Each structure stands twice: as structure tokens, then as C-alpha cells.
Amino acid sequence: MAAQSTLRPSPTDRFSELFDRFYERLTARLDKSQRRSPLSKRTTQLIATLALSLTLITSGYGGYWLYRRRKTERDLGRKLVRRNSALLSKDGSRTIYVPYKDRTTGVTIHPTKNTTFDAHRRLFLNPPREARMEDGVPPANVRPGLNMAFLYQFGALMRIMIPRASSKESGLLLTHAIFLLLRTYLSLVVARMDGEIVRDLVAGKGRAFLLGIGKWLSIGAISSYTNSMIKFLQSKISIAFRTRLTRYIHDLYLNNSLAYYKLHNLDGGVGHGADQFITQDLTLFCDSAASLYSSLGKPLVDLVTFNFQLYQSLGPLALSALLINYFATATLLRKLSPPFGKMKAVEGRKEGEFRAMHARLIANAEEVAFYAGGPTEHTLLDQGFRELRKWMESIYRIKVGYNMLEDFVLKYSWSAFGYLITSIPVFLPTLGSLTESSSTLPSLALKSKVPPSAESVEYSDRSGGRMKQFITNKRLMLSLADAGGRMMYSIKDLSELAGYTSRVYTLISTLHRVRANAYYPSRGSYPDLFSLADVQGTLHKGFDGVRLENVPVVAPSLYPTSGEELIDNLSFVVGPGDHLLITGPNGAGKSAVSRIVAGLWPTYRGLTSRPRTAGQDGIMFLPQRPYLSPGTLRDQVIYPHTEADMQAAGRRESELQVVLEQAKLGYIPEREGGWDTRKMWKDVLSGGEKQRMGIARLLYHEPRYAFVDEGTSAVSSDVEGLLYETAKGKGITLITISTRASLKRYHSYTLTLGLGEEANEYEFLRIGTASEKDSVEKELQELRERLSQVEQWKQRRKEIEEELGKVWIAGGEEDAVGMGEEADLDAPSR
């Protein structure tokens, strides 16, 4: 230990040395200042000691606060993860915390700017009258394949994946390119070393052979690291591309234009849903695009490099033969290549349809179970899978013949051709490289002047040189064949990438169309009546109330077909405190009114006015089917707000408890284990509790106006009255959609739909007026007339029961009771 301490000072010695240095410097400065104002030596030492102590305390204090800061961040991260929340910034970015090993890590997500969407709109939307590619923008329904449409679509997606030259993705691509070039250089070094090792082995040079083996192993370690980094960077590029595209699509899909609803219910441009596009097709596209950089760019560099090396070794004849071989192989495979892009696009569509069938079964599992519809659903799923299987089997059958041709041409034919090329310097030295032929002539001229022993040594050296050159050329030809094979294989990869590109481009272009509401009629034709291209009405946000002026209630159809008109020119106004009850038969369009006001369905004609904001001091909609989001119990009450929004608004959990008490759900937090409890709430809460949870959200947000679509149908009458009175007491103007006449007592007006012979008329009345009383009296008169016929109905029922109690037989009429007695008498004799 003593010897070790002399070589490496202990921490105590280091600290003493630092202290002495600091003390000397400080005293020196104090001595200089003492000349101006003399101080005693003891005072100088005391000041130096105090300064050093203060420095140590300050540094320790700073380290302590750094520790406290990191601990606070860790605690905040755990808290936000537990509460399913995030941190909001003024610029709109969100910092979410995710579990990572034994701690949490923050990820900042910046939203895509509207100016970026506007700039990209021209890349994904067709001009109104475009029919061809004359304007440079291909139609979205172009058949996937290696054509100009694929190049344009891939370029448009690259604008999203690599937004600028200084982005993270550009750095990854540059680093990946450096490692690819390094691998090409290492391939050249390995080819040269391979020839040298074989030369030394044939010549019997043991020391040079072992030295070559050592160099080989050292180059092998570097090559292994290079290959691993290439695969790692390719995966990083793929996940970076996917992150860019996923966030871009999410910002388009989940924005204020309600694209997540309109994409499936109005547009229909992506079929059954966007989940297949976002989850599977997007992943396959990013993996294929990331691998394309190495499977196409790297072989291209290898081809140029190895061809140059072979040109120096084998001469121009070999290079010409290689170029002819490349051109002939590419032409043959291009002519005989099946349309892999189209087949992959169809396969993705069928995969999405099969996945949608399973999602539909999961969403409606309870209804199917009540109907015992398992066998029917089993048949439908088997049929969908059968169609998918047949299509995939047809692809595999096509690939068998193409793979046979591809392997024979790229592996065996190219290898045989490579042996022929590398044999040129051996069998035809005059057609070899200039350097080799020029070096051979002088040796032949001086052959007569060389002694026999020297001649044998020279012959041995020439044989070793030929062996080295042949092995080197062989290694280069194998690498060249591998590069050329990957280039030819990339034709198939490009075709598959074209299919994935078409799918992703179709999704983004459809989302841009929904966001910009860019629906146009066909060229040279008028739009169909009540289609998405025939929207002429206005949705006005900023009105203190709900107003419809001459608005036709139309159930829209998928673009570009026409919708079905339910009510012609609906007009009414609801102001503050004017509670409205919308009634009518099924299918009359009651829920359609709320969809039009919410902006889910278009206002084809007229004017629709509503408050500007949704939520507090705005308008809120309670749908007919209660929705419970994944997350904590707190999230169910404050939805669609998050815990961060709740804190920003200054709301407390004690207020949430009061809200649940008002909604008659005060027992839920204690029963379920607190506000941070996570469960599948749609399975935990009953039907009545789900509806009351919707009322609790209404009471939490306190909007000025609220649409309640059958929001209390599963709640008892007494609790229903308390909920309505509580909502009205908070100043919420209720617009209720229901068929229950008992709700009239809580409203001021009624809107009855589905009147008239064609059920397309309506009636807007104030409750308590003379006309409303007349309609009620008329309804009561009809009920009295029906009650007066009760005795006749009873008599008729008795006659029917007597007729059913008899059995008609051939030959007459017998009482069923008598027949039963005869049956009992005959029973023992049987």
C-alpha cells in the first residue's frame, strides 16, 4: 500500500495540495492589497480560511441543490406517469413522462404548425380539374408501381421524414453513409489481404502468413463493428422516419377539423379505417425506406469502386463485359418481374379488412353473445381469412418462379461469368491490364541472361503473384456479384416499397382533403345533390346560443355519393335559459340535429350558429353511447381535459368529489380505490353509472349550452329530476334529445320531428302555451277513446281464448278437456 501511495496520491493528499495552492494564491493577493492597506498576518490567514470555507460551502450547496432538482424531476415524472398527465408549454409543446428502467424520462413533443400543413397541401391534394400528371401532381389512385407517381409520392413523404438539412434524420443518414463507405473500403482491404495470405501460404512464408492472419483478425474486428453499426443506424433511421410520420399523421388525424370522425363516416377514402395504415403499413414503409438507403446506395458505391479496381487489374475488356452483363440482367429481370407493388397494396388492404372484422367483433362482443351469434361470426371471419389466404398464396406461387430465375441468374450465372473474367490475365495475358503486360515483356527479354537458380526463383515469384492476383480478383468479383445481386434484388424491394408508399400517401392525402374540406365535383359535371361537393351552408362559431336557419337535416353518405334528406329547412333558436326538448319517432333525425350543430355533419344549406368554444362557457355534447376513456378515475370526470389542464385551470380534487356527489356518484372513489386508480371503466361501471358519469363531466365543465342525447335513459325518474335541476342551477341551458314525455317539466320548449305524411315536417312550440295545451288535449282525447274500447277488447280476447281452447278434428268438434280424459283412460292399455 505504501508503494502504491507513492505512485498514486490519496484523496486526502490531493485535497491538502489543492488547499495549499489556493491558500498561497489568496495570501499572495492579500499581501498585494496589504501594501495599500496594511493588515496583520493573522488577519490575512483568517480571511483566507473564511474564503476557502465559503467556497467549499457554496460548492456543496450547489451540489445539494442539483441533487434536489434531479430528485424533484424524478418525483414529478413518477407522479405524472401515475396520473396519466403531462406538462404543457406556452408554445403548445407537451412533455410526457414514460417509464424507463427504474426511473422516468421526459419526452418533449412539438405540434406540427398549421403553416407546415398549408405548405404540404399542394404536395398531397390534386388541383380541382386535374386529370393527368401534366401539373406534376399524380392522382392518388394511380396503380402502385415503379413509375413517376411513385417517385413523386416518395419525394412528398421524404419532405416530412427529413424536414431540413440540420434535422436529426439528416445526421443519421450522413453517419450511415460514412459507415457504408467504410465497409466498402474494408471490403477492398479484405480482398487484398486474402490474396496476400494465399500467396504466402503457397510460397511457404510462415512468418508473413501469421502476420497476415493477425492483420486479418484486426480488420475483422473493425468490420464486425462496422456491420453492427450499419444495422443499428438503419433501425434508428427507420424509427426516426416512423416518429416523424406518426406525429405528422396524428396532428392531422386528431385536430379541430374532426378528421378522426369524418375520415370514416364521410370521406371513406381509406376504406374500413386508418388503424391499418398507421400501425402496419406505416411501419413497413419506414422499414423498407430505411433499408433502401443501404440496399440501393451501398451496392451502387460498391459497383463503381469494384469496377474501377477490376479495370486496373483486368483491363477494359473485362469492364465492358461486366457492364453488358449488368444491362442484360437488369433488362431481363425488369421484363419478367411481376407487379409486386400492386400485389403488396392489395395485400395490405385485405389485411386491413380482416383486422377490421376482428375489431368489430371485439367492439360488439356483448351484443353478439346475447344473440348467440358466435357461429355466424365464425363463418364471416373464416370467409375473410380465406380471401386473404388465397391472395397471399397466389403471391407466393408467383414468387416461386421469379425467385428461381433470380437466384440462377444472380448467383450461379454471375459466378460462372466471374470466373471467366478473372481467368483473362491467366489464359489471355495480352488482353489483361496494361501494367501487367508491360511488366511481363522485359522479364521475357532478359530470360536468357538470368541464371537457372534465379530463373526458378523468378518463376516462383510470378506464380505467387498470379495466385495473389487471382485470389484478389476473385474476392472482388464475389463482392461485385453480391453488390450486383443486391441491386437486382432491390428492384423487387422497390416494387414493394411502391405499394407501401401508395398506401401511406393515400392516407395523408385523404387527411389533407378532410382538413381543407377539398371536395370537388367531377370535371365538367355538377355536384350531386347533398354530396360533400354540394355543401353551401355556413357553420358560424361565436353565437351566444344555438340557431338553425333553413338548414336541411341530411344524413350524409360517403363521398362522392348523395345523402338522404330527413327534414326540409329546419329553423329554431335557443337562447340562454331556453331549455329545449327534441322528440320524435325513431329515425326522424333527432340525433342528426346535434351532429349538425357539433360540426360532425355538414350544413348543406342555410346557417348554423353555436358558441365558439367547447367546454366551459361554451357548448358541450353528451352522446347517446357513454364513452369512458382509458386512464384514471380522475380522467373519467374531467374528460376531455387532462390532469395538466385541470391544474392549469386551478381545479382541485375536492371539487371533483363535490361534482360526483351532485351526480349521485360520491361513493365511486372510495369503492374503486382513489382518484389514481386505473381500470377498464367501461366494464366496471353499470349503465346508469356511465350515464351519470357523463352528467358529472357536464357539471365539471359547466358549459353555457349542452346537448344531452338520451343521457338519462338508464337512470331512475327521481334521480333524473335531481340531475336536471342541478344542471339548470349551474346556469347550463339544456337541449335534450329524448322520447320520454316526463322530461317536459324540466324544459321550456319542445321540438317535435317526423311529423306529416312523409315524416319530414317539424313543430317548435313553447311548453305551456295554448297551442301546446291543445296538442296535449288532443292526445288525451285519443287516449280516452282508446280506453273506452277496453271492454270490447276484453270480450274479443275471451272469444279468442275459447276458440283456442277447442281443437277441430275430422267429423266434428270436441272439447280439449274431454280428449285429455280419453287420453288418460287409454294410457294404461298401451
Side-chain angles (χ1 to χ4, degrees), residues 412-430:
Y412 302 103
S413 298
W414 277 31
S415 298
F417 187 76
Y419 280 113
L420 292 176
I421 295 298
T422 53
S423 66
I424 290 178
V426 179
F427 298 108
L428 300 173
T430 57

Side-chain angles (χ1 to χ4, degrees), residues 114 117 249-263 266 510-517 519 539 541 598-601:
N114 291 327
F117 290 139
I249 291 173
H250 282 177
D251 290 340
L252 271 177
Y253 189 56
L254 301 166
N255 57 10
N256 295 330
S257 63
L258 307 177
Y260 54 89
Y261 175 85
K262 297 178 180 179
L263 187 68
L266 298 181
T510 306
L511 288 173
H512 271 286
R513 182 170 64 185
V514 173
R515 179 180 180 272
N517 198 22
Y519 299 100
L539 177 61
K541 294 183 179 180
L600 304 182
W601 288 5

Side-chain angles (χ1 to χ4, degrees), residues 66 87 180 217 279 295 305 327 477 633 687 762 800:
L66 180 61
L87 296 179
L180 290 176
L217 293 177
T279 56
S295 64
T305 305
F327 179 76
M477 284 299 303
L633 177 61
Y762 68 95
I800 293 175

